[in-house]
Amino acid sequence: MKTYNSIEQLKEQARLGDMNARKHLKKMYQIQQAKKKQKMKRMISIGICVALIFIIYGIATHNSSSNNKGENTPVYILQTSSASPEESTGEELEEGQVDLASIQTPSWIDEQLLPINEFSRPAIAIEKVNDIAIHYVGNPGTTAQQNRDYFASLATTKDRSASSHFVIGLNGEIIQCIPLNEKSYATNHRNFDTISIEVCHPGEDGKFNEKTYKSLIKLTAWLCEQLELTNDNVIRHYDVTGKICPKYYVDHPDAWEQLKDDVGQYMKENPNIK
């Protein structure tokens, strides 16, 4: 079989009519095309894998950050362990850190814990509480029981993510919805280190009535005492996100300062609140 010293010679011989040279060129072209197809397939496969990685990462990032977008945005945070919150951290308490799981609920608080679910009680542990956040329910005339039951219903309806540790009613009743060592869905990016209190109110202005106000002062003072906080650690939802909540105490800053003073005074007059 005739041989050729270079590609250039092969092409020249093919141009001059050498059939053997033309066959060689055709075979070389076919091999080059096959290699190009294989390379293209590899590039397409790599592109699909990269696209899938970005899609999965985007979904995971969205779910983990959606809680910071406001109370009306569902927050899908799943419990990753069947262990109780205090067991799931696997860490011992730091010096001076309050053991949240050991705090006993007094008899004047009606404990009606929500069922564990991803929309209102995700059973995610709080390791330390830095502030107590006050909210208003925003639905004039509704009761503490109605608001607690609404939080519970989210496990079924899955409409949104919302809850609080406590709800105070129009007659001064206090319902506990979530244990102190678990996070609630009330205070956005401060859910991880705050205890939340939702307060019922009779009117659109959001002002608490006398019975509700007295219970709020007592509950907040008790929490401050148990959590080793002061009335300076009592904040509004407004102080976290700028949301007008609790409305009356955002519209009337002097009333808010008075509320904090009343908490401090109650603690002075009633040490070791039971």
Side-chain angles (χ1 to χ4, degrees):
M1 182 179 290
K2 187 176 180 179
T3 59
Y4 304 93
N5 296 324
S6 66
I7 296 296
E8 288 73 17
Q9 183 185 13
L10 181 63
K11 290 180 179 180
E12 179 64 19
Q13 291 299 318
R15 187 180 66 79
L16 295 174
D18 187 334
M19 296 302 296
N20 188 51
R22 289 182 178 181
K23 288 181 181 179
H24 273 284
L25 282 176
K26 184 177 179 180
K27 188 174 182 180
M28 290 175 61
Y29 175 77
Q30 290 174 339
I31 293 173
Q32 289 176 347
Q33 290 299 107
K35 288 182 177 180
K36 286 182 179 179
K37 288 182 180 179
Q38 290 178 349
K39 184 177 180 181
M40 183 62 69
K41 287 181 180 179
R42 286 198 298 271
M43 291 178 66
I44 291 173
S45 298
I46 293 172
I48 292 173
C49 291
V50 171
L52 288 173
I53 291 171
F54 274 103
I55 290 171
I56 294 170
Y57 175 78
I59 293 172
T61 302
H62 169 75
N63 285 346
S64 66
S65 64
S66 59
N67 191 34
N68 295 335
K69 297 180 181 179
E71 288 187 329
N72 293 326
T73 303
V75 183
Y76 309 126
I77 301 179
L78 300 177
Q79 185 181 12
T80 57
S81 170
S82 59
S84 62
E86 60 270 23
E87 294 172 339
S88 63
T89 61
E91 298 179 359
E92 296 183 358
L93 294 174
E94 298 178 1
E95 184 177 354
Q97 185 176 342
V98 176
D99 183 1
L100 301 175
S102 69
I103 298 175
Q104 298 296 313
T105 302
S107 60
W108 42 273
I109 295 177
D110 181 8
E111 189 177 88
Q112 296 185 37
L113 300 183
L114 303 176
I116 293 177
N117 70 94
E118 62 182 296
F119 292 90
S120 55
R121 186 190 167 192
I124 296 175
I126 291 179
E127 295 182 4
K128 183 178 181 181
V129 176
N130 292 317
D131 290 313
I132 300 167
I134 310 300
H135 305 252
Y136 85 134
V137 297
N139 296 307
T142 57
T143 66
Q145 191 65 56
Q146 288 172 327
N147 283 278
R148 180 267 172 203
D149 292 345
Y150 169 71
F151 293 150
S153 73
L154 294 175
T156 302
T157 65
K158 303 179 180 180
D159 290 336
R160 58 186 289 232
S161 291
S163 59
S164 66
H165 291 86
F166 299 93
V167 185
I168 301 179
L170 298 174
N171 292 315
E173 69 275 24
I174 303 173
I175 298 178
Q176 183 173 6
C177 305
I178 295 178
L180 295 178
N181 63 325
E182 295 180 27
K183 70 179 289 186
S184 68
Y185 288 145
T187 318
N188 301 80
H189 62 274
R190 291 294 308 279
N191 287 331
F192 78 98
D193 74 334
T194 57
I195 296 299
S196 57
I197 304 174
E198 289 278 359
V199 186
C200 297
H201 48 94
E204 292 285 350
D205 64 354
K207 185 177 182 179
F208 307 151
N209 68 26
E210 184 177 355
K211 291 181 179 180
T212 301
Y213 187 87
K214 286 183 177 179
S215 290
L216 174 61
I217 298 303
K218 182 178 181 179
L219 173 61
T220 306
W222 175 75
L223 286 170
C224 284
E225 183 178 86
Q226 295 296 317
L227 301 171
E228 299 181 3
L229 303 175
T230 72
N231 60 339
D232 288 331
N233 299 110
V234 181
I235 63 173
R236 300 165 293 185
H237 190 181
Y238 171 80
D239 299 317
V240 177
T241 65
K243 180 178 180 179
I244 308 302
C245 172
K247 178 176 169 55
Y248 184 83
Y249 301 90
V250 173
D251 294 340
H252 300 83
D254 55 333
W256 173 249
E257 292 303 321
Q258 183 61 56
L259 187 154
K260 293 179 64 176
D261 289 344
D262 289 344
V263 171
Q265 188 63 33
Y266 191 96
M267 293 176 69
K268 290 179 180 179
E269 295 176 356
N270 300 275
N272 300 317
I273 303 168
K274 302 297 184 181

